[in-house]
Every structure is written in structure tokens, then in C-alpha cells.
Amino acid sequence: GQSLEQPSEVTAVEGAIVQMNCTYQTSGFYGLSWYQQHDGGAPTFLSYNALDGLEETGRFSSFLSRSDSYGYLLLQELQMKDSASYFCAVRDQRGGADGLTFGKGTHLIIQP
Amino acid sequence: NAGVTQTPKFQVLKTGQSMTLQCAQDMNHEYMSWYRQDPGMGLRLIHYSVGAGITDQGEVPNGYNVSRSTTEDFPLRLLSAAPSQTSVYFCASRRTELYEQYFGPGTRLTVT
């Protein structure tokens, strides 16, 4: 089966950089996605890595190492609005149609 | 485009009642899915569909039924509600060949 591990909570200071890790076990792996979810809101897509390396989108970067079954999300120049939960999700083969399996999420707390 | 819409936003049911959670998308996405999210948990896949007339079970399908008669609509039916089904339910859709998944605003269901 599939499983993903994420730290439950991370605290960081406004303006700083934070890294949130994700390790996974799955079969038929296609790629690793990251989603942001504010309290009471819906998850929104941040990034996707299918190949090893770093993908950058503005203040957000995501990294993947397929050989280590590991990825991370990096947020730079933290702002108070970045306080949210961040979920990694594995795209894998399930019954002939690929789906997403989510981790339990990391709650990011930003302190002024 | 409205994106992914869900109704109702909130619902309270008594044990044993049945109801249907509605989901619609106007992006012509082939792939649609239903997730539930419980406190401190990630999103768990209930059912998914790769196109009209095709549905399959996810990780936690028991107690739920789905059908997909059109590309746009993917309703989720609770046959006989139980307190264990108290949760937030998210519907999502995407193009089959792409990785970015779009979520609806969610339905907050309480079963007493």
C-alpha cells in the first residue's frame, strides 16, 4: 500500500525560510504534489515534481529525490498569510487509473 | 468558469438518514473524485471516476455510493448515515493526463 510521512507541525518566523519534508512508500510512482490548505478552506495546488530535482515557482520551491523516496517544499520570505497546512500527495497507479494519496499534512505556524 | 461546485455547504443528519452530496464541474475534466477529511488527517479517497459511466472505489468506500452519468456531475450518496461519517467532504476534478487537481469548497457533514 501507500504511505506518506510528514511532520505534524512546523513553526517559523516571518521573513525567514522554512522547509517541510515528505517521505513516501508507494508502488507505480508517477510524481509528488504539494497542496496548501487554509483553515476552513479547500486544498489548492502548489507544485508537482515528476523528476528528480528542484522546481521553483516564485517564493515556493519543491524538491524530489525518487531514489530516496523523499521530497520537500521550501517557502522563502515567509508571510503571515502562509500560515496554513501543507500536504504532500503521491500520484500513483490505482486500479488502472492514477489517483492521489495524501499525507496527513504539516501545520505551518508563522510568528511575527 | 465556476470551477468545482458543491452543495450543500453544511448538513446535519440523524443516524440512519440518507442524502446526496452534489458535485459539479464546468472544466470538462474527465477525472473526478470524492475525499473525506477528518481532524488531523489528510484527505482520504472515497470513490473516483475516470469518465462518464465509469466509477471505482478508493481507500474508504464503505457506506457511500457514486454514479457518473455526465462528465459534469459526480454525486456522492450516503445510504444510511452513521456518526463515523461526520467529516468534511471535498469533491475534486482534473484532466486525466495532467496532475493539477481542483477542489470544491467542501461540505461539512454532521451525523448525530
Side-chain angles (χ1 to χ4, degrees):
Chain A
Q2 303 92 1
S3 70
L4 296 94
E5 295 290 331
Q6 298 182 253
S8 59
E9 189 175 283
V10 169
T11 301
V13 177
E14 191 177 12
I17 299 173
V18 70
Q19 176 176 314
M20 289 174 282
N21 299 322
C22 174
T23 58
Y24 60 87
Q25 286 184 315
T26 186
S27 57
F29 176 82
Y30 289 165
L32 187 71
S33 299
W34 289 91
Y35 285 79
Q36 179 191 59
Q37 185 181 31
H38 288 98
D39 282 348
T44 57
F45 173 80
L46 291 176
S47 68
Y48 177 74
N49 295 69
L51 303 175
D52 286 357
L54 193 68
E55 297 277 346
E56 298 181 52
T57 308
R59 297 188 296 115
F60 294 75
S61 301
S62 57
F63 171 82
L64 176 65
S65 168
R66 294 173 68 113
S67 60
D68 295 324
S69 298
Y70 163 76
Y72 66 72
L73 181 70
L74 193 75
L75 278 67
Q76 303 183 69
E77 301 171 16
L78 286 171
Q79 303 174 9
M80 297 303 292
K81 67 178 182 180
D82 296 328
S83 293
S85 291
Y86 293 84
F87 296 90
C88 61
V90 169
R91 184 181 173 189
D92 55 16
Q93 191 75 22
R94 183 180 302 121
D98 58 309
L100 286 181
T101 299
F102 284 81
K104 293 183 180 180
T106 296
H107 186 209
L108 175 62
I109 299 169
I110 310 293
Q111 294 178 336
Chain B
N1 284 353
V4 180
T5 58
Q6 292 183 237
T7 56
K9 285 188 168 54
F10 301 93
Q11 183 70 50
V12 178
L13 289 178
K14 294 188 188 309
T15 297
Q17 287 184 316
S18 63
M19 78 159 295
T20 300
L21 278 61
Q22 302 292 344
C23 174
Q25 52 92 10
D26 61 359
M27 298 172 282
N28 203 31
H29 288 170
E30 303 92 348
Y31 187 94
M32 295 186 73
S33 51
W34 276 101
Y35 292 87
R36 63 175 288 174
Q37 186 175 33
D38 302 299
M41 303 287 288
L43 294 106
R44 292 184 291 169
L45 183 66
I46 304 171
H47 285 285
Y48 66 93
S49 169
V50 299
I54 306 170
T55 64
D56 207 345
Q57 297 180 352
E59 181 186 355
V60 288
N62 291 342
Y64 308 95
N65 273 0
V66 292
S67 59
R68 184 98 179 269
S69 56
T70 67
T71 299
E72 294 78 20
D73 300 297
F74 190 44
L76 178 73
R77 278 181 288 278
L78 279 70
L79 308 173
S80 177
S84 61
Q85 293 179 304
T86 294
S87 188
V88 180
Y89 291 85
F90 289 100
C91 178
S93 73
R94 64 173 170 86
R95 293 290 301 274
T96 301
E97 71 274 19
L98 298 179
Y99 44 80
E100 182 174 354
Q101 190 148 259
Y102 296 82
F103 285 84
T107 294
R108 282 150 184 79
L109 176 69
T110 301
V111 182
T112 61

